[in-house]
């Protein structure tokens, strides 16, 4: 007999609404706190958004951040951030640092001459140092990237809202989008709280989180729609609990397998993708939570029309398929 791994029992009877005001209230508090933190602290934008130059250094000798900073002090640079990069995949004699230099006030970008001076100053501290990569972004381009990032996330949310409305009911569309925005806003709040670097890879992670969250929610709502036709007299709250329990195995299995892959990437994938992967891990955890405890709550609050209605016409998007 083939072995089948089961992370949850074949049949469960969990009451997901038993503490609905606590879970839903927690979500609202997290959203409000996240918005407040971002408003007060802002985001630690990377060079992609602020403009400036990032120099990645490698050396066979240990990184001395203090010595690097002292060497750059006389150069009259803009904001300078020096961080040592650690990765399990590095060799024992591979020491990596990242030097981020903001453009000076009144200048469009860090000039090649300044970059040459920075490299010379660092080589005076450590003759074995090499410069693995130099990335520069001008402030005009970075400003456009911020707006395009906002447009991308907004357009993704609106598109998903329209699709869910056509595919299911408007109440489910509202619940789905609210859950997605919960995931994105809380992720941004965590990013702001800990001052993690926010660059284009994190924008890509946020868009991926939107897709993951809506996929998980749609599976539950699709089963709910089937149950609405099957159990015409069952109370909506009881039916939604039944639906969540029927799809719980799939929800847990999907989240678990995704997290396994992400954990492998965050440990051995290298520092270049670590921010993206960490955002994805947050998204999977938050997406699973919001699907089970937020999206369904909103649908329950709004109610669903359970009257016997004739089949919708094509103009009502009844036959739109995934």
């Amino acid at each position: 007999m083939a072995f089948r791994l089961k992370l949850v029992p074949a049949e469960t009877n969990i009451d997901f609404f038993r503490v609905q005001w606590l879970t839903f209230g927690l979500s609202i508090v997290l959203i409000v706190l996240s918005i407040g933190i971002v408003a007060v602290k802002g985001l630690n934008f990377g060079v992609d958004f602020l403009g400036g130059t990032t120099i990645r250094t490698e050396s066979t000798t240990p990184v001395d951040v203090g010595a690097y900073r002292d060497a750059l002090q006389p150069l009259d640079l803009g904001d300078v951030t020096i961080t040592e990069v650690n990765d399990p995949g590095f060799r024992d004699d591979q020491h990596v640092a990242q030097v981020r230099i903001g453009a000076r006030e009144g200048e469009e970008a860090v000039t090649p001459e300044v970059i040459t001076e920075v490299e010379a100053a660092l080589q005076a501290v450590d003759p074995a140092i090499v410069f693995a990569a130099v990335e520069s972004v001008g402030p005009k381009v970075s400003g456009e990237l911020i707006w395009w990032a906002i447009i991308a996330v907004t357009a993704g949310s609106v598109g998903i809202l329209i699709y869910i409305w056509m595919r299911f009911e408007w109440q489910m569309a509202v619940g789905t989008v609210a859950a997605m925005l919960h995931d994105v806003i809380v992720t941004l709040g965590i990013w702001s709280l800990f001052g993690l670097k926010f660059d284009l890879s994190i924008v890509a992670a946020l868009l991926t989180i939107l897709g993951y969250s809506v996929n998980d929610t749609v599976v539950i709502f699709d089963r709910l729609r089937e149950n609405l036709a099957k159990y015409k007299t069952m109370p909506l709250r009881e039916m939604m609990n039944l639906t969540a329990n029927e799809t719980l195995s799939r929800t847990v299995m999907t989240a678990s397998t995704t997290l396994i892959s992400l954990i492998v990437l965050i440990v051995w994938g290298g520092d270049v993708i670590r921010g993206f992967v960490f955002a994805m891990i947050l998204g999977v955890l938050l997406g699973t939570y919001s699907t089970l405890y937020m999206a369904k709550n909103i649908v329950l609050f709004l109610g669903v029309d359970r009257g016997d209605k004739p089949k919708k016409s094509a103009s009502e998007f009844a036959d739109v398929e995934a």
Side-chain angles (χ1 to χ4, degrees):
M1 179 181 294
F3 172 74
R4 293 184 179 180
L5 176 64
K6 291 185 178 181
L7 299 181
V8 296
E11 295 184 4
T12 58
N13 188 28
I14 302 173
D15 184 0
F16 291 99
F17 292 101
R18 185 169 61 89
V19 288
Q20 63 175 335
W21 293 112
L22 176 62
T23 55
F24 191 72
L26 176 62
S27 297
I28 298 300
V29 169
L30 288 176
I31 290 174
V32 173
L33 285 177
S34 297
I35 293 174
I37 291 171
V38 173
V40 173
K41 292 192 61 177
L43 293 170
N44 180 22
F45 288 113
V47 173
D48 293 340
F49 293 114
L50 286 180
T53 298
T54 296
I55 302 175
R56 181 185 174 93
T57 70
E58 294 189 12
S59 178
T60 55
T61 59
V63 174
D64 188 338
V65 174
Y68 284 11
R69 189 177 302 279
D70 291 340
L72 299 180
Q73 188 68 33
L75 299 183
D76 189 27
L77 303 173
D79 293 334
V80 177
T81 303
I82 304 173
T83 55
E84 183 175 2
V85 179
N86 296 302
D87 192 285
F90 289 165
R91 304 184 310 272
D92 291 340
D93 64 344
Q94 185 178 9
H95 303 280
V96 179
Q98 185 169 272
V99 182
R100 191 177 74 179
I101 306 169
R104 286 180 291 195
E105 187 175 353
E107 296 184 356
E108 289 293 320
V110 179
T111 64
E113 292 77 10
V114 171
I115 295 175
T116 300
E117 291 177 2
V118 169
E119 293 178 347
L122 294 177
Q123 283 179 329
V125 174
D126 181 5
I129 199 170
V130 295
F131 303 100
V134 178
E135 300 175 355
S136 298
V137 177
K140 181 178 180 180
V141 174
S142 63
E144 292 177 353
L145 290 176
I146 292 175
W147 282 110
W148 278 113
I150 295 173
I151 291 172
V153 175
T154 303
S157 300
V158 172
I160 291 171
L161 173 66
I162 295 172
Y163 169 77
I164 300 298
W165 169 61
M166 292 192 302
R167 188 72 172 86
F168 299 100
E169 301 287 345
W170 69 268
Q171 297 93 331
M172 298 181 184
V174 172
T176 300
V177 171
M180 291 189 310
L181 293 179
H182 165 273
D183 303 339
V184 171
I185 291 173
V186 175
T187 299
L188 288 176
I190 293 173
W191 233 251
S192 176
L193 178 63
F194 293 103
L196 302 175
K197 186 173 73 172
F198 188 88
D199 53 23
L200 286 178
S201 68
I202 308 305
V203 176
L206 293 178
L207 292 172
T208 308
I209 289 170
L210 291 181
Y212 179 89
S213 181
V214 72
N215 176 71
D216 208 26
T217 306
V218 162
V219 169
I220 294 180
F221 283 165
D222 193 49
R223 178 62 62 87
L224 175 61
R225 184 175 57 175
E226 295 175 3
N227 287 338
L228 284 170
K230 185 177 180 182
Y231 306 104
K232 296 184 179 296
T233 60
M234 182 181 293
L236 182 59
R237 170 172 171 159
E238 184 178 339
M239 182 183 302
M240 295 182 75
N241 260 328
L242 172 66
T243 300
N245 279 282
E246 287 178 340
T247 57
L248 183 61
S249 177
R250 181 263 177 203
T251 299
V252 173
M253 184 64 74
T254 302
S256 300
T257 53
T258 306
L259 284 174
I260 290 173
S261 302
L262 292 174
I263 290 172
V264 171
L265 286 175
I266 202 169
V267 174
W268 289 289
D271 64 285
V272 175
I273 64 171
R274 183 160 289 127
F276 173 86
V277 177
F278 180 55
M280 284 298 304
I281 291 175
L282 285 177
V284 170
L285 296 175
L286 291 170
T288 303
Y289 169 83
S290 64
T291 296
L292 292 173
Y293 290 104
M294 188 172 188
K296 296 196 293 60
N297 282 358
I298 291 178
V299 174
L300 181 62
F301 297 155
L302 296 176
V304 177
D305 186 359
R306 302 184 61 186
D308 293 331
K309 298 183 296 183
K311 185 177 180 180
K312 292 182 181 180
S313 64
S315 63
E316 295 179 285
F317 314 110
D319 298 323
V320 176
E321 296 295 336

